């Protein structure tokens, strides 16, 4: 019994080692490369430089201000984009007439990268907060609308037929059969939209902003502060990872019965 | 047997597939009495499921008509429920809510719960009210779908190969259950199946359809009491009688070969 327990314990430890091995190795290599001057300091900042930059940003309160600004833009833009996307997706998925009226416009607008719209958005809305939120909204809207549409269109026709056999009204069929069935697909849209919201917010900040992670990276490039750039990049990676982990947890919990 | 509950009159059905007409049913007429158990057997593709779907109002006949309780069937009726081959449960609802889905929206929550409990008990799933479909076996899932169809207390229950996807042992058990439920609830039932054993075990009458386009080849009355013994000589007699129909080219002719 004891041996078995120890084995479980050991395999758990080895599982953890496998997870952190590569990141740890990368950090170690980075450390070795800068300690031995394999790469020039102006290209690859040393861990010490990065730490100094972090302390500098933290003391001035810039670090959290940037994080907060970016987070706010993501949240507001995401909520707007997701709401519009889901509502549009439901309307298009359920009403064939709406589908036909919007089909061509969607086909034309969809391939346009959101980045290409940034100059126009700035022209219309200025360089204030509104334009950045609009860009995030645009970036999240598509993923949600398209996933909602496909979720609704992929509803098992046998379940629709069942609802018909049970004499359910159209409204009840939508509410109790079609929408619950489409939900996992909508959630996939939410996860895609979340990473796209992060990307769009950083992009917008790089072009026109006075704060935010994207702005900080661009600013650091102009100021020749590779340490600050480095912090911004790692921050984005960790940030995106945490968001997706939380969403994955939520997804597993929401759809635990399926 | 009581009055005629269901009357199928000269029903034909033509499907148009790729601009080509395909006749699947040819002048089918059949009367089913109140409380009767009728099976429709036939080779696959003979249109027996289509016939059942026309009775259910899920499909319209190209020619002819179906009358249920003296009224022409034009769409699904609340007095007629169908049990499909797949259980068609909602994975996001528990057993109780899946069964409750068979009721009208106007039924109160309390009433719904009470009725659901009764029918869950009837199909032998007491204690599984809060389970979700994925936690149940295929046979149990089909029991849920049976309870969902019965909960609104329909007069007519249509069964479209309901046990076709179940293993042999579960199938025998479920056939027994249907027999028990039928006696208890006094329903008119029409079963579509290609399982002759199942048809003889359950039916008062068996309708044998010809190959496509399906027409009534023969109607066999099974004059045996319930529950039936599958090993009994008379049971075997009826089985052979039906089976022979499948291997006979023309009405009344000798079988092509002996089974």
């Amino acid at each position: 019994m004891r041996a078995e327990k120890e084995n479980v314990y050991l395999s758990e430890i080895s599982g953890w080692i496998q997870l952190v091995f590569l990141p740890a190795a990368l950090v170690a290599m980075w450390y070795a490369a800068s300690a031995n001057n394999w790469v020039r300091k102006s290209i690859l900042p040393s861990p010490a430089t990065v730490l100094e930059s972090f302390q500098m940003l933290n003391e001035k309160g810039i670090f959290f201000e940037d994080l907060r600004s970016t987070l706010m833009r993501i949240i507001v833009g995401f909520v707007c984009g997701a709401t519009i996307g889901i509502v549009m997706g439901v309307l298009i998925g359920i009403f064939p007439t709406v589908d036909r009226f919007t089909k061509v416009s969607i086909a034309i607008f969809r391939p346009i990268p959101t980045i290409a719209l940034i100059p126009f958005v700035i022209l219309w809305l200025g360089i204030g907060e509104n334009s950045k939120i609009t860009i995030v909204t645009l970036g999240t809207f598509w993923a949600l609308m398209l996933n909602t549409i496909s979720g609704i269109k992929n509803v098992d026709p046998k379940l629709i037929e069942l609802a018909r056999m049970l004499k359910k009204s159209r409204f009840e069929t939508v509410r109790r059969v079609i929408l619950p069935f489409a939900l996992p697909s909508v959630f996939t849209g939410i996860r895609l939209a979340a990473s796209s919201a992060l990307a769009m917010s950083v992009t917008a900040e790089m072009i026109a902003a006075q704060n935010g992670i994207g702005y900080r990276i661009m600013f650091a490039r102009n100021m020749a502060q590779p340490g600050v750039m480095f912090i911004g990049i790692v921050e984005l990676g960790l940030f995106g990872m945490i968001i997706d982990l939380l969403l994955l947890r939520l997804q597993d919990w929401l759809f635990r019965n399926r | 047997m009581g009055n005629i509950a269901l009357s199928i009159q000269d029903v034909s059905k033509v499907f148009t597939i790729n601009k080509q007409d395909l006749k699947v049913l040819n002048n089918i007429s059949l009367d089913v009495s109140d409380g009767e158990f009728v099976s429709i057997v036939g080779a696959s593709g003979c249109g027996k499921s289509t016939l059942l779907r026309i009775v259910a109002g899920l499909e319209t006949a190209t020619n002819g008509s179906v009358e249920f309780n003296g009224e022409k069937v034009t769409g699904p009726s609340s007095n007629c429920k169908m049990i499909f081959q797949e259980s068609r449960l909602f994975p996001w609802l528990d057993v109780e809510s899946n069964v409750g889905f068979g009721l009208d929206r106007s039924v109160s929550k309390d009433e719904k719960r009470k009725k659901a409990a009764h029918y869950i008990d009837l199909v032998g799933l007491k204690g599984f009210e809060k389970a979700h479909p994925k936690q149940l076996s295929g046979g149990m899932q089909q029991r849920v779908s049976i309870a969902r169809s019965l909960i609104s207390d329909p007069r007519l229950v249509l069964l479209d190969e309901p046990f076709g996807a179940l293993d042999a042992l579960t199938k025998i058990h479920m056939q027994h259950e249907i027999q028990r439920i039928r006696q208890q609830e006094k329903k008119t039932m029409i079963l579509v199946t290609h399982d002759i054993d199942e048809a003889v075990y359950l039916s008062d009458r068996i309708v044998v359809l010809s190959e496509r386009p399906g027409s009534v080849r023969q109607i066999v009355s099974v004059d045996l009491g319930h529950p039936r013994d599958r090993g009994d000589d008379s049971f075997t007699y009826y089985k052979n009688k039906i089976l022979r129909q499948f291997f006979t080219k023309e009405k009344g002719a000798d079988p092509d070969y002996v089974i």
Side-chain angles (χ1 to χ4, degrees), chain B:
Chain B
M1 271 333 134
N3 304 321
I4 287 170
L6 182 82
S7 174
I8 301 171
Q9 293 149 4
D10 283 325
V11 163
S12 298
K13 177 76 184 177
V14 178
F15 283 113
T16 308
I17 300 163
N18 295 333
K19 290 178 185 167
Q20 288 219 303
D21 283 354
L22 182 71
K23 193 167 199 180
V24 289
L25 290 172
N26 189 16
N27 290 332
I28 302 233
S29 291
L30 177 72
D31 286 341
V32 179
S33 305
D34 207 19
E36 197 180 12
F37 196 114
V38 172
S39 288
I40 299 168
V41 297
S44 52
C46 76
K48 54 191 190 300
S49 282
T50 306
L51 180 61
L52 203 66
R53 292 168 54 81
I54 290 172
V55 172
L58 291 172
E59 204 98 59
T60 47
T62 314
N63 281 311
S65 66
V66 177
E67 272 180 25
F68 173 48
N69 283 341
E71 274 177 45
K72 201 174 166 192
V73 172
T74 51
S77 149
S78 50
N79 246 331
C80 163
K81 291 290 150 71
M82 183 145 164
I83 296 163
F84 301 94
Q85 180 171 5
E86 326 81 19
S87 55
R88 302 196 185 182
L89 303 177
F90 300 122
W92 57 87
L93 295 179
D94 61 17
V95 167
E96 191 180 41
S97 308
N98 264 298
V99 172
F101 190 77
L103 281 173
D104 224 48
R105 213 152 61 112
S106 55
V107 180
S108 76
K109 253 191 179 151
D110 267 4
E111 183 77 9
K112 216 173 235 184
R113 187 164 306 139
K114 235 166 65 190
K115 282 198 166 170
H118 172 76
Y119 284 94
I120 288 168
D121 191 25
L122 179 77
V123 296
L125 281 180
K126 204 172 183 161
F128 288 94
E129 287 84 356
K130 297 295 168 204
H132 280 81
K134 79 163 186 189
Q135 297 166 302
L136 306 176
S137 69
M140 289 161 97
Q141 289 180 5
Q142 198 55 298
R143 283 167 192 265
V144 178
S145 94
I146 292 169
R148 178 180 60 195
S149 294
L150 293 176
I151 193 168
S152 59
D153 200 22
R155 289 299 312 139
L156 177 63
V157 179
L158 306 174
L159 303 109
D160 187 8
E161 297 186 39
F163 313 131
L166 303 178
D167 65 84
L169 287 174
T170 312
K171 201 172 182 174
I172 288 175
H173 196 59
M174 292 299 288
Q175 287 161 0
H176 178 75
E177 292 284 280
I178 280 291
Q179 165 58 25
R180 178 181 64 79
I181 288 168
R182 184 217 165 186
Q183 300 277 353
Q184 206 170 322
E185 302 280 310
K186 308 254 181 290
K187 304 282 182 208
T188 310
M189 292 187 170
I190 302 178
L191 168 74
V192 156
T193 183
H194 49 235
D195 183 337
I196 294 163
D197 193 84
E198 179 170 287
V200 176
Y201 183 76
L202 289 166
S203 316
D204 299 319
R205 280 192 300 158
I206 299 171
V207 179
V208 184
L209 292 190
S210 67
E211 283 175 26
R212 192 175 62 225
S215 58
V216 178
R217 167 168 275 190
Q218 198 185 22
I219 299 180
V220 177
S221 291
V222 185
D223 301 315
L224 299 171
H226 287 287
R228 292 174 182 167
D229 182 352
R230 290 170 209 263
D232 205 72
D233 279 349
S234 52
F235 194 93
T236 317
Y237 162 77
Y238 281 111
K239 262 178 80 173
N240 286 336
K241 190 170 176 176
I242 308 287
L243 203 52
R244 216 165 266 136
Q245 289 296 319
F246 283 90
F247 299 98
T248 313
K249 283 255 158 62
E250 299 298 327
K251 232 177 188 170
D254 280 336
D256 292 344
Y257 43 86
V258 180
I259 308 142

